[in-house]
């Protein structure tokens, strides 16, 4: 099993960008470029409640922890879980300062409504794998809370889901190691991308930057 060093960790949140568009992910996480648009601002607003580091709330047999840092040496990622609900369970794990055993359930907050692609789900699965590795437990469920529909969606997680996320992260690590920014695969999603003006997908679709420069030098 491959194990990553901390200096090689990627941001867990990047898996959502990567599944949405590999070029968008590279522009943000390799080239360090970012621009706000209405969608990114809405996303920040949705996360305002969850983004309260180290806040713990006890509700009966449930312990709610917000903005919980997580990481995985196997996946080579680090990040923050919006919310983790620790539910008392006889098959759970011990928690410092708490009596009994608990199982963790990650809850990721998202703007809008459930998406057709796998971007939100893959981010949640990566969080779940981190929790499994950190707490030495086996989990099978997480939740996505969507602001538009105002309720959470249960996400069952299988071994096939875990393998698919591992494969995506391996691809991300390969891009990052090479500092490679791929070309854009243009589509309707480009219109909603906050980096549309940085990416210039239509220009890349028509002509590569290198061919444009070569043509100008030969004039």
């Amino acid at each position: 099993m491959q194990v990553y060093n901390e200096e090689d960790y990627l941001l867990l949140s990047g898996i959502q960008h990567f599944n949405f568009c590999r070029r968008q992910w590279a522009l943000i996480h390799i080239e360090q470029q970012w621009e706000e648009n209405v969608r990114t601002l809405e996303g920040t607003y949705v996360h305002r409640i969850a983004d309260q580091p180290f806040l713990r709330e006890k509700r009966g047999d449930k312990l709610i922890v917000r903005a919980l840092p997580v990481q995985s040496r196997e996946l080579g990622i680090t990040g923050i879980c919006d919310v983790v609900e620790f539910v008392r369970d006889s098959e759970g794990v011990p928690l410092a300062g708490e009596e009994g055993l608990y199982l963790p359930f990650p809850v990721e907050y998202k703007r809008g409504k459930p998406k057709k692609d796998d971007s939100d789900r893959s981010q949640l699965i990566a969080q779940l794998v981190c929790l499994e590795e950190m707490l030495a437990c086996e989990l099978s469920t997480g939740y996505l809370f969507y602001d538009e529909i105002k309720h959470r969606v249960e996400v069952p997680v299988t071994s096939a889901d875990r393998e698919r996320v591992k494969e995506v992260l391996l691809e991300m690590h390969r891009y990052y190691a090479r500092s490679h920014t791929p070309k854009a695969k243009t589509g309707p999603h480009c219109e909603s991308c906050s980096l549309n003006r940085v990416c210039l997908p239509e220009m890349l679709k028509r002509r590569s930057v290198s061919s444009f420069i070569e043509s100008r030098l030969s004039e």
Side-chain angles (χ1 to χ4, degrees):
M1 179 182 71
Q2 181 175 3
V3 175
Y4 293 91
N5 296 317
E6 287 191 15
E7 59 266 25
D8 298 320
Y9 283 1
L10 301 177
L11 287 178
L12 187 156
S13 58
I15 194 170
Q16 182 188 33
H17 299 137
F18 193 82
N19 280 327
F20 175 77
C21 172
R22 282 153 171 71
R23 181 172 175 80
Q24 185 204 61
W25 170 81
L27 288 171
I28 295 171
H29 296 269
I30 295 177
E31 299 189 16
Q32 303 294 304
Q33 301 198 58
W34 180 255
E35 284 195 1
E36 296 281 10
N37 68 1
V38 172
R39 291 173 183 267
T40 60
L41 291 172
E42 286 177 349
T44 301
Y45 180 74
V46 168
H47 282 83
R48 74 196 184 284
I49 298 175
D51 190 17
Q52 301 179 58
F54 310 115
L55 179 63
R56 294 160 65 105
E57 179 183 355
K58 194 73 178 291
R59 297 181 186 174
D61 288 336
K62 182 184 294 184
L63 174 66
I64 302 170
V65 180
R66 304 181 189 279
L68 180 68
V70 294
Q71 64 179 27
S72 168
R73 295 185 67 195
E74 182 181 354
L75 299 180
I77 53 175
T78 183
I80 301 290
C81 289
D82 285 343
V83 172
V84 178
E85 295 183 349
F86 291 90
V87 179
R88 198 159 186 166
D89 191 294
S90 59
E91 297 184 2
V93 295
L95 298 178
E98 300 293 334
E99 294 183 2
L101 304 176
Y102 291 80
L103 279 178
F105 296 88
V107 183
E108 177 68 12
Y109 282 64
K110 295 295 180 186
R111 62 166 296 281
K113 57 186 178 180
K115 300 177 179 61
K116 295 180 180 179
D117 62 39
D118 202 37
S119 55
D120 290 348
R121 196 167 182 273
S122 60
Q123 183 178 355
L124 181 69
I125 293 168
Q127 293 176 2
L128 183 141
V129 173
C130 287
L131 290 168
E132 285 183 323
E133 183 178 321
M134 293 172 64
L135 298 173
C137 61
E138 293 184 5
L139 307 173
S140 60
T141 306
Y143 297 91
L144 290 167
F145 180 91
Y146 286 95
D147 182 62
E148 186 171 325
I149 61 177
K150 302 300 182 187
H151 70 79
R152 63 174 58 180
V153 176
E154 182 175 323
V155 179
V157 179
T158 66
S159 56
D161 293 325
R162 291 177 176 81
E163 288 303 315
R164 185 165 60 253
V165 166
K166 288 179 183 178
E167 290 174 4
V168 171
L169 282 162
L170 279 173
E171 188 177 357
M172 291 167 63
H173 278 287
R174 286 195 289 267
Y175 277 127
Y176 197 85
R178 295 162 48 207
S179 297
H180 175 64
T181 301
K183 292 183 178 180
K185 291 186 177 180
T186 58
H189 62 281
C190 292
E191 296 302 318
S192 62
C193 179
S194 63
L195 294 182
N196 188 285
R197 291 185 299 176
V198 175
C199 175
L200 301 175
E202 289 305 316
M203 185 186 79
L204 292 173
K205 183 178 179 180
R206 297 190 186 102
R207 192 176 193 182
S208 70
V209 174
S210 59
S211 66
F212 173 78
I213 293 174
E214 288 175 3
S215 66
R216 293 301 300 269
L217 290 175
S218 63
E219 291 178 356

